Amino acid sequence: MPTTPATAANSSSNGTAPSIMLELVDENGTTIGTAEKLAAHQAPGQLHRAFSVFLFDEEGRLLLQRRALGKYHSPGVWSNTCCGHPYPGEAPFAAAARRVHEELGVSPSLLAEAGTVRYNHPDPASGLVEQEYNHLFVGMVQAPLRPDPAEVEETAFVTARELTERHAADPFSAWFMTVLDAARPAIKELTGETGGW
């Protein structure tokens, strides 16, 4: 992983796992402080910066991932291509590209900003709360995937119709439909009117 001031501040040189810090924000998305990742997600949750990525293949199919079973938050459920949190001081665009590479082993192409959405989604299974000011990104994936099994249980490319069927049959993350709906205008611009998105 490239070292930047943001990533250097969140790495450990003594072999111990560092605390992952998140950027706390106000309702306008202005940074107001930091908090440890798990603490920020404990009820009632602290509003923090996040990102969600939607990548499509050349056929206009959305890349979904099923989150690894070992993840502490929403394990084993389907969700968008990639989501996560920028380190304090890290640009959301850079964080999105970094995490796509870390989780899926590819670099997105034509990655573009697709707006923001603010939400509050409790996760009944874990008791954790997603209080997020989420930066949305859409783009393409044009290389073979190399998912990290610690992050990703499986992947699937789906059409809009296949997504509707899968969403009715399988568990998805609590935030999935919120971020998908917020990103739809940019998704339609990327995939065209005939894609069904």
Side-chain angles (χ1 to χ4, degrees):
M1 174 176 64
T3 301
T4 68
T7 58
N10 285 278
S11 63
S12 174
S13 59
N14 64 6
T16 62
S19 294
I20 297 175
M21 301 301 290
L22 306 185
E23 202 168 80
L24 300 180
V25 299
D26 65 16
E27 293 292 338
N28 299 312
T30 303
T31 302
I32 59 172
T34 61
E36 192 277 326
K37 182 178 179 180
L38 185 56
H41 287 88
Q42 291 174 337
Q46 295 173 278
L47 183 60
H48 58 274
R49 195 176 309 284
F51 63 83
S52 291
V53 180
F54 296 85
L55 296 182
F56 294 81
D57 66 8
E58 300 283 355
E59 299 172 34
R61 298 179 302 168
L62 172 61
L63 172 59
L64 298 176
Q65 70 155 276
R66 189 159 75 92
R67 295 164 61 85
L69 297 176
K71 292 184 81 72
Y72 79 94
H73 193 330
S74 302
V77 300
W78 287 96
S79 199
N80 48 295
T81 306
C82 179
C83 53
H85 310 91
Y87 294 133
E90 183 182 25
F93 183 93
R98 172 179 58 80
R99 283 304 290 166
V100 168
H101 191 269
E102 290 172 357
E103 292 188 9
L104 296 162
V106 294
S107 295
S109 55
L110 303 176
L111 192 64
E113 295 183 15
T116 60
V117 62
R118 192 265 197 248
Y119 53 78
N120 174 7
H121 286 303
D123 175 29
S126 67
L128 299 175
V129 178
E130 289 288 6
Q131 283 267 21
E132 295 189 329
Y133 187 92
N134 197 302
H135 297 256
L136 307 170
F137 298 93
V138 300
M140 303 284 293
V141 60
Q142 298 174 303
L145 303 176
R146 292 177 287 113
D148 177 354
E151 298 285 350
V152 180
E153 190 69 21
E154 64 181 302
T155 60
F157 284 96
V158 296
T159 65
R161 180 176 179 175
E162 290 167 343
L163 174 62
T164 300
E165 295 167 356
R166 185 179 292 258
H167 192 262
D170 295 327
F172 272 70
S173 64
W175 61 87
F176 176 75
M177 287 309 299
T178 300
V179 292
L180 175 64
D181 287 344
R184 279 187 197 275
I187 290 171
K188 288 178 181 177
E189 189 174 326
L190 178 72
T191 61
E193 292 298 324
T194 59
W197 295 102

